[in-house]
Amino acid sequence: NKDFRKYISIVPLSAVTGEGVCDMMMLLMQLTQKFQSKRISMKSELQCTVLDVKKAEGLGSTIDVILVNGQLKQGDTIVVCGTMGAIVTNIRILMRPRPLRESRVHNDFIEEKVIEASAGIRVAASGLEDAVAGTSLVIVPKNNLTAIEEAKALVQSELSSILSRVDKGSEGVCVHASTLGSLEAILSFFKTSKIPVSLAAIGPIGKKDVMRANSLFATYEREEKRVVLGFDVKVTDEAKAMAETAKIPIFLGDIIYHLQDRFLQHLKEHEEKLQELNEHAVIFPVVLDIMPLCVFRKKSPLLLGVKVIEGILKTGTPLVALKGLEDHVFLGKVTGIEMDHKNKEEANVGQEVCIRVEAHTNDQNLLYGRQFDHKNQLVSQMTRKSIEALKENYRNKLKKEDWGLVAKLKRLFRL
């Protein structure tokens, strides 16, 4: 490409075979050197970021860092952000991967006394097991307490600013992420998706994390929010066992969208389960008109042709005939709905259906044309308990007009 400003470069690339990756890297280097030469020039001021925290055989806990500017030396006093507070330690060993070796794949390193930017480095020092990936590494003068305290506040502010987005007062999920950057991404995404988060942490999910989540979840009124979501992290066996005992589901995923889908599916399943449990208590609001030419049986069980005027007609709905503001005749429960010779579970506004209404044994003398007729509208017999069940389980499923009908029936039955 002779002119990058006029022509777009297209690089054939395969994520499966890796073909074209070298060409892409070469193109990126050419563009960077040509258009950003001033920005990539070396600086003496240290700029170093923690990429990963690992346990290395014979070294203990180590951190992989990317050194962008400045230099690191063996014996330097460093300050790193930690999950339990800032970590102040001395560099014991500095290592860099051998040329043309990938540090994430090959454990083949060269020990160095001093390493200058830019380079990927493995740092071995004491107390790094709680270091937070994605945060900055800062060098401070030895025995300078003022500089150490300032550096501790600086590195911890990165984590604090992210955790401050968590609304601890809400009933939300618990989130774990592998790095600070991924935690920031998932919190932003969940905020956009209106998924509340009340507890967030970085690193694998351990026994203490489940215990902390369980103590928080104990204050929740809504059981479906008692969930731990792990983004690109692992769960210890102890944590799994404790979560099973406490009945806390843990969902893991390497893609934020998949994690969101699993949580939303969990909410849907929980809602359906609640609806099944409370099905006997739920009464949907409905207003029906009897079609006088479609009365097939005048005594219990009644067979009536009706038209749905308002609300939703479902099987199991108790119906009353309105003869006046104070005079209501209880007909029984709808035990069957038929439309076009097919059995239905429900009927909506405007539909004309045939219903079977069975009265209690005490109301067997009920007769169409005597106690009620087509001039009397039929409505569902709402109760206070059924309205509460509707609010709890069907708040978002009923339309605005349906809730308006609930209010009318509530006044009618003086609930």
Side-chain angles (χ1 to χ4, degrees), residues 50 53 80-83 87 130-136 159 178-180 202:
V50 180
V53 183
V80 181
C81 177
T83 54
I87 301 166
D130 292 326
V132 176
T135 57
S136 299
L159 179 60
S178 56
T179 66
L180 187 68
I202 295 173

Side-chain angles (χ1 to χ4, degrees), residues 61 141 178 195 213 222 234 250 290 309 332 335 338 364 412:
S61 294
S178 56
I195 298 175
R222 302 186 65 180
K234 295 180 180 179
I250 299 177
I290 299 174
I309 305 303
T335 57
E338 187 177 295
Q364 291 294 328
L412 177 68

Side-chain angles (χ1 to χ4, degrees), residues 334-351:
V334 177
T335 57
I337 302 172
E338 187 177 295
M339 184 170 69
D340 297 332
H341 305 290
K342 293 180 181 178
N343 291 327
K344 308 277 286 185
E345 288 297 319
E346 66 175 62
N348 297 305
V349 175
Q351 291 183 332

Side-chain angles (χ1 to χ4, degrees), residues 316-330:
T317 302
L319 294 178
V320 296
L322 301 181
K323 301 190 75 174
L325 292 175
E326 301 293 335
D327 191 7
H328 312 144
V329 178
F330 180 73

Side-chain angles (χ1 to χ4, degrees), residues 30-41:
Q30 287 177 352
L31 290 170
T32 305
Q33 290 172 1
K34 186 167 184 177
F35 297 106
Q36 294 184 313
S37 56
K38 292 182 180 180
R39 293 182 64 182
I40 64 174
S41 58

